[in-house]
Amino acid sequence: AQKVTQAQTEISVVEKEDVTLDCVYETRDTTYYLFWYKQPPSGELVFLIRRNSFDEQNEISGRYSWNFQKSTSSFNFTITASQVVDSAVYFCALSDLSSGSARQLTFGSGTQLTVLP
Amino acid sequence: NAGVTQTPKFRVLKTGQSMTLLCAQDMNHEYMYWYRQDPGMGLRLIHYSVGEGTTAKGEVPDGYNVSRLKKQNFLLGLESAAPSQTSVYFCASSPSTVRPQHFGDGTRLSIL
């Protein structure tokens, strides 16, 4: 069963629109960590945020905000007033112990966000 | 700050050839990882290491071998390259399994 689902394969918005990227995860662990990474067209992977399973506080960082809800196993990412530079592939990832004796990072398939000028 | 450096950045191989990808990190991280990225599939873990001299299999280890003889280096080997191994390979390191991983810039590998 897929552990991290990013159902939106591609999203296209016009600059200054708000956009939300969805992430749904599956784990049997009570302690786990969730991450978001950004991959711009240049190809590198950039860490954006980490949340642990005990901290359901939503977080805001500038134009970025994250909504973590354990009840729905979701960790959604919202960009407010999107800009062309936000165009990238965004990955949600889960770190838990269900794959073996050591925590491993499982990535979703990514959402390609295109912000049009 | 170099961070995580992958060598080479691009390579083209013929089926059956062998090669080694090198990953070097200068952050004194214990944990190192090799991933492959294929279109529409995100990143999948090939092998990882929890410290010098240790290695373990990830989700897709077949056809690959790894070694971690020095803490700062993690090598990924393809003994007999196959077209299915055409991919972008990323190396990452982290100080612990619950901290964010730092990624290299990737190696684009094509097997003809």
Side-chain angles (χ1 to χ4, degrees):
Chain A
Q2 195 167 5
K3 297 176 65 174
V4 181
T5 302
Q6 294 181 255
Q8 304 150 307
T9 305
E10 296 182 19
I11 299 176
S12 184
V13 299
V14 177
E15 203 170 21
K16 297 184 183 178
E17 287 185 354
D18 299 347
V19 58
T20 295
L21 309 182
D22 298 332
C23 173
V24 175
Y25 63 91
E26 176 186 336
T27 181
R28 291 171 293 181
D29 284 351
T30 55
T31 302
Y32 54 89
Y33 297 80
L34 295 162
F35 300 80
W36 275 93
Y37 284 86
K38 172 182 179 179
Q39 187 175 41
S42 50
E44 73 274 21
L45 282 146
V46 179
F47 164 72
L48 295 177
I49 191 171
R50 181 193 75 159
R51 303 298 283 177
N52 69 56
S53 52
F54 297 109
D55 185 0
E56 288 193 71
Q57 251 189 337
N58 292 331
E59 181 154 340
I60 298 174
S61 176
R63 296 184 297 106
Y64 296 170
S65 62
W66 290 268
N67 184 1
F68 174 35
Q69 292 193 334
K70 288 180 71 171
S71 60
T72 56
S73 297
S74 65
F75 186 41
N76 297 337
F77 173 31
T78 297
I79 302 175
T80 303
S82 61
Q83 299 176 0
V84 173
V85 294
D86 295 327
S87 296
V89 180
Y90 290 86
F91 291 99
C92 180
L94 166 71
S95 174
D96 67 0
L97 282 168
S98 58
S99 296
S101 59
R103 290 187 179 277
Q104 296 175 25
L105 201 57
T106 301
F107 284 81
S109 54
T111 297
Q112 170 72 61
L113 173 65
T114 301
V115 181
L116 302 170
Chain B
N1 293 337
V4 178
T5 303
Q6 291 183 232
T7 309
K9 297 191 184 308
F10 305 94
R11 187 73 183 268
V12 179
L13 291 177
K14 293 182 179 179
T15 297
Q17 287 185 319
S18 63
M19 80 160 295
T20 300
L21 305 184
L22 172 63
C23 177
Q25 53 99 0
D26 62 1
M27 296 171 283
N28 201 35
H29 287 170
E30 288 292 334
Y31 296 81
M32 296 188 75
Y33 310 84
W34 275 107
Y35 295 89
R36 59 178 290 173
Q37 183 179 21
D38 300 297
M41 300 186 72
L43 278 78
R44 292 181 293 168
L45 183 64
I46 304 171
H47 285 281
Y48 64 99
S49 169
V50 301
E52 182 178 318
T54 74
T55 62
K57 294 180 180 179
E59 179 186 355
V60 288
D62 294 342
Y64 305 95
N65 57 74
V66 288
S67 65
R68 183 109 180 260
L69 298 180
K70 292 183 178 181
K71 185 177 184 178
Q72 63 267 33
N73 295 336
F74 195 29
L75 279 63
L76 177 71
L78 286 73
E79 291 186 349
S80 179
S84 61
Q85 294 176 305
T86 293
S87 189
V88 180
Y89 291 85
F90 285 96
C91 176
S93 72
S94 66
S96 76
T97 57
V98 300
R99 299 287 297 278
Q101 294 180 16
H102 299 256
F103 285 83
D105 290 340
T107 296
R108 188 173 296 276
L109 184 61
S110 294
I111 315 296
L112 304 179

